Amino acid sequence: AQSVAQPEDQVNVAEGNPLTVKCTYSVSGNPYLFWYVQYPNRGLQFLLKYITGDNLVKGSYGFEAEFNKSQTSFHLKKPSALVSDSALYFCAAGRQAAVNKLTFGGGTRVLVKP
Amino acid sequence: DAGITQSPRHKVTETGTPVTLRCHQTENHRYMYWYRQDPGHGLRLIHYSYGVKDTDKGEVSDGYSVSRSKTEDFLLTLESATSSQTSVYFCAISESGRTHGNTIYFGEGSWLTVV
């Protein structure tokens, strides 16, 4: 069975500082990995994905994520956080060449303080 | 935003009553999904569809049924609602099940309260 862990329920960061949201996964075979963001009372918005290729993936709104196969991690990063980045972030994983049965982590709430 | 419309957006119902949530898409995507979101659990897949009249179970399918009679519509039915089904339900779509660059897009959610 596949699983995704987001070890931090909440991350607090000052505006302008780097932001990191952690994610580790367990998937048989080659994984595909996603990050989504959710604002209050809204649906999930796609940020970025890793399918194959470069380990550093660049996505929307200045976010990027680094795929590390040996550590089975896919941490989300942003060099300089904005107050508007405050939201709930979800990591999701699935198995390549299979039906899209994504497994989601429990979510990490990010609070960026002015 | 992906062309996904969920209805109703908010509903309060009584235990034991049937409830149907509707998802309508304008993207002509083949795959449609129903997820539920609960605190601490992230999103969990209830059912999904890979074509008209083609559906399959996800990880939390007990107590739910689905139907897809048209490409654009995917219905989720709670035959007899229970308090444990109080949740936020998200419909999602994707162009293909094989994820070579594929992405799942989500609707805005339906808040269901069972009292």
Side-chain angles (χ1 to χ4, degrees), chain A residues 36 38 42 49 90 97-98 100, chain B residues 37 97 99 101-104 108:
Chain A
Y36 288 87
Q38 184 181 33
R42 301 296 300 277
K49 65 186 175 188
F90 288 99
N100 276 351
Chain B
Q37 181 180 22
T99 308
N102 189 21
T103 298
I104 295 178
E108 293 290 283

Side-chain angles (χ1 to χ4, degrees), chain A residues 47-89:
Chain A
L47 279 180
L48 51 80
K49 65 186 175 188
Y50 171 83
I51 303 297
T52 187
D54 291 340
N55 290 340
L56 184 63
V57 179
K58 294 188 181 297
S60 305
Y61 313 119
F63 284 95
E64 59 188 28
E66 186 170 8
F67 171 66
N68 188 315
K69 187 174 184 178
S70 63
Q71 297 185 3
T72 62
S73 66
F74 190 56
H75 301 330
L76 180 69
K77 300 180 180 181
K78 187 171 184 180
S80 178
L82 301 172
V83 172
S84 58
D85 293 328
S86 298
L88 186 58
Y89 291 79

Side-chain angles (χ1 to χ4, degrees), chain A residues 32 34 36 38 41-46 49 51 88 90 95-107, chain B residues 1 9 31 33 35 37 40-43 45 48 57 90 94 96-99 101-104 106-108 111:
Chain A
Y32 56 88
F34 295 81
Y36 288 87
Q38 184 181 33
N41 301 316
R42 301 296 300 277
L44 277 70
Q45 296 180 25
F46 168 73
K49 65 186 175 188
I51 303 297
L88 186 58
F90 288 99
R95 190 166 60 88
Q96 286 195 26
V99 175
N100 276 351
K101 290 186 178 182
L102 290 185
T103 297
F104 283 79
Chain B
D1 290 341
R9 295 292 312 282
Y31 279 74
Y33 312 80
Y35 285 85
Q37 181 180 22
H41 291 278
L43 277 80
L45 181 64
Y48 68 97
K57 297 178 180 180
F90 287 98
S94 66
S96 170
R98 295 193 175 274
T99 308
N102 189 21
T103 298
I104 295 178
F106 288 82
E108 293 290 283
W111 275 254

